[in-house]
Amino acid sequence: DTEVTQTPKHLVMGMTNKKSLKCEQHMGHRAMYWYKQKAKKPPELMFVYSYEKLSINESVPSRFSPECPNSSLLNLHLHALQPEDSALYLCASSQDSPGQLLTDTQYFGPGTRLTVL
Amino acid sequence: SQELEQSPQSLIVQEGKNLTINCTSSKTLYGLYWYKQKYGEGLIFLMMLQKGGEEKSHEKITAKLDEKKQQSSLHITASQPSHAGIYLCGAEVTGANNLFFGTGTRLTVIP
């Protein structure tokens, strides 16, 4: 199984709503990532979890709150978002090596397309 | 600041033609990754290059890494409509504990 699944596929929310994005993998990977991708732009790294601990936070606003309940699951909790946060949110996973961000293939999920009204 | 520049930004080729996409880094590369993305979908991993001079091939796609030039090229031989999509290079850049993606190259293959 080389699949990363993301739910929901689409999400429309208001600026006062609280919602969560979910990502799951069963490849035994210990590194998981959240990316944000605006239209016609490359993905931008948001967070990296390594062995269920947050190892990188790329100065992401606190209205985005990641959570890694176990080695297979990664959540992104959303609260009080702005319309400019509308984007495709991608999750990825890979085998992890201490001291290096990338040593192996990153497997990406299909993404959640988020629209903030 | 933009760390990875890709060229060309877009490319339209006739089916069966060969093509090359380049990715140039402004800083030393620790590793270079090529991905393909269909619009609005996740990224599909193509190849990973970690050593200068390394060259890898998968089916009709070949990628090379020129560490001295801080550049990588992706070459597609005898292109097919199934090759159409956005090609992205990604890299970990020296001094930055982060993964950057290139600006992307949109490939269209005309049957």
Side-chain angles (χ1 to χ4, degrees), chain B residues 18-92:
Chain B
N18 303 335
L19 63 104
T20 299
I21 299 169
N22 293 306
C23 174
T24 303
S25 173
S26 58
K27 297 185 177 181
T28 302
L29 293 168
Y30 265 152
L32 195 288
Y33 306 80
W34 283 100
Y35 296 88
K36 178 186 174 184
Q37 185 178 31
K38 293 283 191 181
Y39 177 74
E41 298 180 8
L43 278 65
I44 299 169
F45 173 79
L46 296 175
M47 265 169 279
M48 175 175 69
L49 304 166
Q50 290 187 303
K51 300 177 184 177
E54 187 172 15
E55 180 175 326
K56 288 187 177 179
S57 294
H58 177 66
E59 297 180 344
K60 294 184 178 180
I61 301 176
T62 300
K64 300 179 184 179
L65 178 61
D66 186 332
E67 214 167 50
K68 290 182 180 179
K69 292 184 180 179
Q70 297 173 179
Q71 185 179 63
S72 177
S73 61
L74 184 83
H75 185 76
I76 299 177
T77 304
S79 58
Q80 300 170 353
S82 60
H83 288 129
I86 301 168
Y87 288 81
L88 291 159
C89 61
E92 183 183 1

Side-chain angles (χ1 to χ4, degrees), chain A residues 35 37 42 45 56 58 102 105 109, chain B residues 33 37 42 45 97-99 102:
Chain A
Y35 291 86
Q37 186 177 24
L45 186 65
I56 294 177
E58 286 299 323
L102 284 176
T105 307
Chain B
Y33 306 80
Q37 185 178 31
F45 173 79
N97 192 16
N98 195 349
L99 170 65

Side-chain angles (χ1 to χ4, degrees), chain A residues 38-58:
Chain A
K38 302 283 280 184
K40 298 186 180 181
K41 296 289 186 182
E44 296 178 354
L45 186 65
M46 299 174 72
F47 303 104
V48 180
Y49 271 84
S50 177
Y51 292 88
E52 300 162 47
K53 292 184 179 179
L54 184 64
S55 61
I56 294 177
N57 177 342
E58 286 299 323

Side-chain angles (χ1 to χ4, degrees), chain A residues 16-82:
Chain A
T16 58
N17 293 156
K18 285 185 181 181
K19 297 286 184 183
S20 296
L21 309 184
K22 181 181 174 181
C23 173
E24 195 165 2
Q25 56 88 14
H26 296 285
M27 295 177 277
H29 290 168
R30 304 312 295 265
M32 296 186 77
Y33 313 77
W34 278 117
Y35 291 86
K36 175 183 178 180
Q37 186 177 24
K38 302 283 280 184
K40 298 186 180 181
K41 296 289 186 182
E44 296 178 354
L45 186 65
M46 299 174 72
F47 303 104
V48 180
Y49 271 84
S50 177
Y51 292 88
E52 300 162 47
K53 292 184 179 179
L54 184 64
S55 61
I56 294 177
N57 177 342
E58 286 299 323
S59 302
V60 180
S62 59
R63 57 186 184 267
F64 294 92
S65 176
E67 179 196 20
C68 190
N70 59 58
S71 60
S72 300
L73 277 174
L74 185 66
N75 298 320
L76 186 62
H77 302 298
L78 314 172
H79 175 55
L81 294 193
Q82 303 296 313

